[in-house]
Amino acid sequence: MSRRVAGLAFAVLLAACDPNVGPPEPPAPPPVDVQLRQQLDRWGVIPIGPVPRQDPALVALGRALFFDKLLSGNRDVSCATCHHPASHLGDGLSLAVGTGGTGSGTARTPGEGREFVPRNAPSLLNAGLGLFYLFWDGRISGFPGGSFDTPAGSLLPPGLPNVLAAQAMFPVLDRREMRGQPGDTDVFGGPNELAQLGDSQLTAIWQGVMRRVLAFPEYRSLFAAAFPGTPEIQLGFEHAARAIAAFEIEAFTRTQSPFDRYLERDAAALTAEQKRGALLFFGEARCGSCHNGPLLGGGFANVGAPQIGPGTETAAPLDRGRGDVIGVEQYAFFFRVAPLRNVELTAPYMHSGAYPTLEAVVRHYNDVPKALRQYDVTQLQPALRDRYHGDDATVSAVLQTLDFRVRTPLQLTDGQQRELVAFLQSLTDPAARDLAGLAPPRVPSGLPVN
């Protein structure tokens, strides 16, 4: 050993034996961007690729159909009634108001003898990004180009290209949403022939809608352009659904938020507060265990959302969600984990529209059992306040199957909750804030576009 090396070793030994010298300092934590990118990798959060461009003729047809009230039995609501550009492709209501309602937007109320739709109308922003499940209870599911699991079973026509097109087949069947009740008359005082059909006559209802649509020469021209080579006699509502889905994919996709830019390696795209919120989201707050992957959502969970409204047919006045779809008691009160892109714009939140702000949602998750037991009905529009089911039996039933990930309070400080909200706001694409240009000035039927 050289004298120099021996001297260094002796010096180190003396330092180790010196009572005045403390243990070595622990290594500094990695910079926030390093920590955050580690968490993003852990939860599979990667950039969203571009969606396939849609056939312009198909999009033009889909746009007309989406905004045309002709598709509803009473000719009084369109797809856009509950998914309106002014409300960021939702309706701004806790629970939707379908056919027979009065007013528009957040002022819309059920008409005489009518009831709220049992669930919140989710925004269609980014609905075409390849989701596997649609509807709050996931009753429509499937992969693009594959087979679909739907309430129609074998009656669902073949050839639908994606789950969004499969979903578009169903609102026209629903009596509360679009079809109407037996004995209804339309806005002109004429009979509602779609409402007279039985609930099991799915094919006849779809055929009835198409007879209405193809009675207009302009629609016949739009279908001919969108489906060249398909004889008019072979056109079914599945062709209309394909067009509506193509329009939704082309027009409703907004994936250029600050967070998206951060995923593309722009470290300056997020503020320091948003980065702290993201670290909380994917770490201590445990949000990433449900909201993960490219879409920040997927799967099902019972997160203790308050029970509000008329409930579903199988469980009225409650809504048991996924549990009733698959017939498994352990999944009672489970609902789809919604993707979070542009979530800042899509209030009110949860399947029952229970919370009007992101701040209220974060408070709910901070202590779910407490939030459910102490839910404040003044957060709801007045017409729904007496439709909150907060009795002990209901609360206990919801808590019985509460997801294990939200059983324990998070104990986040007010500052941490603000950081979480700041992160959620970073998921907003600026181009999603104003969608007024999506609505056409007119539709082929001549019915009003509101």
Side-chain angles (χ1 to χ4, degrees), residues 228-399:
T230 301
E232 185 176 309
I233 196 172
Q234 294 181 11
L235 291 171
F237 192 71
E238 64 270 24
H239 294 89
R242 287 173 60 183
I244 291 170
F247 168 65
E248 292 173 345
I249 293 169
E250 185 75 17
F252 298 169
T253 303
R254 297 290 188 275
T255 58
Q256 292 301 312
S257 69
F259 182 66
D260 289 296
R261 298 200 306 274
Y262 186 82
L263 293 179
E264 296 285 359
R265 315 306 291 186
D266 179 1
L270 300 183
T271 67
E273 182 183 35
Q274 289 168 340
K275 290 177 183 179
R276 291 193 301 271
L279 279 174
L280 278 169
F281 185 94
F282 294 107
E284 183 180 345
R286 307 192 293 268
C287 311
S289 62
C290 286
H291 294 283
N292 50 53
L295 306 181
L296 298 180
F300 300 89
N302 174 1
V303 297
Q307 288 277 308
I308 298 163
T312 55
E313 294 178 3
T314 55
L318 304 183
D319 183 350
R320 291 161 49 89
R322 187 67 177 166
D324 280 348
V325 170
I326 62 176
V328 178
E329 184 62 29
Q330 292 91 323
Y331 282 84
F333 307 109
F334 275 55
F335 294 91
R336 185 171 68 99
V337 176
L340 295 182
R341 303 290 177 156
N342 301 297
V343 68
E344 174 191 7
L345 307 176
T346 59
Y349 302 105
M350 300 191 173
H351 80 277
S352 56
Y355 293 110
T357 66
L358 288 176
E359 289 80 1
V361 173
V362 171
R363 283 196 298 272
H364 172 90
Y365 281 111
N366 197 36
D367 190 335
V368 170
K370 177 181 177 181
L372 183 58
R373 292 189 179 102
Q374 300 181 5
Y375 179 72
D376 180 5
V377 296
T378 63
Q379 298 173 92
L380 296 169
Q381 62 199 87
L384 279 175
R385 291 175 185 172
D386 64 352
R387 307 305 303 275
Y388 165 59
H389 308 293
D391 57 281
D392 290 342
T394 297
V395 170
S396 296
V398 174
L399 293 177

Side-chain angles (χ1 to χ4, degrees), residues 114-156:
R114 303 285 173 155
E115 181 59 276
F116 285 95
V117 174
R119 294 173 183 154
N120 172 261
S123 169
L124 294 181
L125 274 168
N126 290 351
L129 290 181
L131 301 174
F132 180 72
Y133 294 103
L134 288 178
F135 289 118
W136 281 108
D137 57 13
R139 65 187 182 275
I140 307 290
S141 62
F143 291 105
S147 61
F148 305 104
D149 185 6
T150 79
S154 62
L155 294 179
L156 187 74

Side-chain angles (χ1 to χ4, degrees), residues 179-203:
R179 187 156 66 98
Q181 302 295 333
D184 276 1
T185 56
D186 67 15
V187 293
F188 302 111
N192 176 348
E193 80 285 6
L194 302 178
Q196 307 315 311
L197 295 168
D199 292 347
S200 63
Q201 294 179 271
L202 279 57
T203 301

